[in-house]
Every structure is written in structure tokens, then in C-alpha cells.
Amino acid sequence: GAVSDGDGEGPREYTGLEPLKLIIMSATLRVDDFCANAHLFPRPPPVVKVESRQHPVTVHFARRTELEDYVEQVFKKTTRIHERLPEGAILVFLTGRREILHMCRRLKYRFRPRNKGRKRARSLS
């Protein structure tokens, strides 16, 4: 059967699936180009713009992407940035919940507070 989604486009074939509702968030996406892509969107999607503040950003990246153990490389790069560069926030992209939780545990352990009088334990990673 045919149904209408109330968008004024008239009936469409019922697939048994709920309409897809998708939220895309990005600080760097060129919104106009993205929304004007007729291959992705037969009609332009609604856009909600949220005003925000911008901060200066310095990008540090690996010249080569390690495919075998990229999470280990992320840990090493993040550690080097935190230890060697001025104070600031570090934004890291990981692929899933497991990697995120694992990275948080490792970084918390690596940079845990230590007693001043004790010799610093060497990291095994």
C-alpha cells in the first residue's frame, strides 16, 4: 500500500520501515554543498544551525596511518602531545565505544596523580 509522510510530496510505497531520522554534526562540514547534493537528497533536508564559539586549533596528525594497531598509535600520539606541548584540549577520533573506553582507561592510568616522594613507575606500553 501507499502512505503519506505528511511532507506534501504525496503517497509513497510502504516499505515497513520507519522513516530514517538522521542528525549529522560537524564543525567542518560545508553545509550548503552537502545539502545541495541531489544524489543524497532529492529535496534539501532541514538544517538546524547552533551558534557556538570558535577556538584556535592546531592539528597534529600521523603521516602514516597504522592499520594493525591504530589505537596504540593514538595513545602514543596523545601522550606525546600532552607531555610536550602547551596546555590545551586534545580531540581524538576513535571508531567505537570499546576503543573509547579502552583509551580513557589507559590515559587515566598513564596520567594518574602520583606521590611526589616516590620514583615514577615506567609505563609498559
Side-chain angles (χ1 to χ4, degrees):
V3 297
S4 174
D5 62 6
D7 63 2
E9 294 290 315
R12 59 184 166 85
E13 193 62 33
Y14 178 70
T15 63
L17 298 174
E18 292 293 320
L20 176 65
K21 295 178 180 161
L22 181 65
I23 297 174
I24 299 172
M25 299 179 349
S26 174
T28 59
L29 180 70
R30 293 184 350 210
V31 176
D32 293 335
D33 293 343
F34 183 72
C35 291
N37 185 329
H39 183 71
L40 291 174
F41 307 106
R43 62 177 198 269
V47 174
V48 176
K49 183 175 182 180
V50 178
E51 293 298 323
S52 61
R53 294 177 289 152
Q54 292 186 340
H55 301 277
V57 173
T58 303
V59 178
H60 298 273
F61 61 93
R63 295 194 193 288
R64 291 186 317 120
T65 301
E66 175 64 48
L67 299 178
E68 290 298 317
D69 192 1
Y70 82 95
V71 176
E72 179 64 21
Q73 297 306 311
V74 168
F75 176 76
K76 289 178 180 179
K77 181 68 118 178
T78 303
T79 300
R80 281 193 304 270
I81 290 170
H82 181 65
E83 291 175 337
R84 297 178 184 173
L85 296 176
E87 184 176 329
I90 302 171
L91 176 62
V92 174
F93 293 95
L94 296 167
T95 60
R97 186 172 194 267
R98 180 184 303 165
E99 289 87 359
I100 293 167
L101 294 174
H102 176 71
M103 186 63 59
C104 288
R105 281 192 298 271
R106 284 193 70 189
L107 290 168
K108 282 179 185 178
Y109 181 78
R110 173 69 179 83
F111 295 109
R112 70 193 181 282
R114 308 200 186 214
N115 294 335
K116 289 183 180 181
R118 296 182 65 189
K119 189 174 181 179
R120 185 174 174 165
R122 191 165 185 177
S123 174
L124 298 175
S125 52

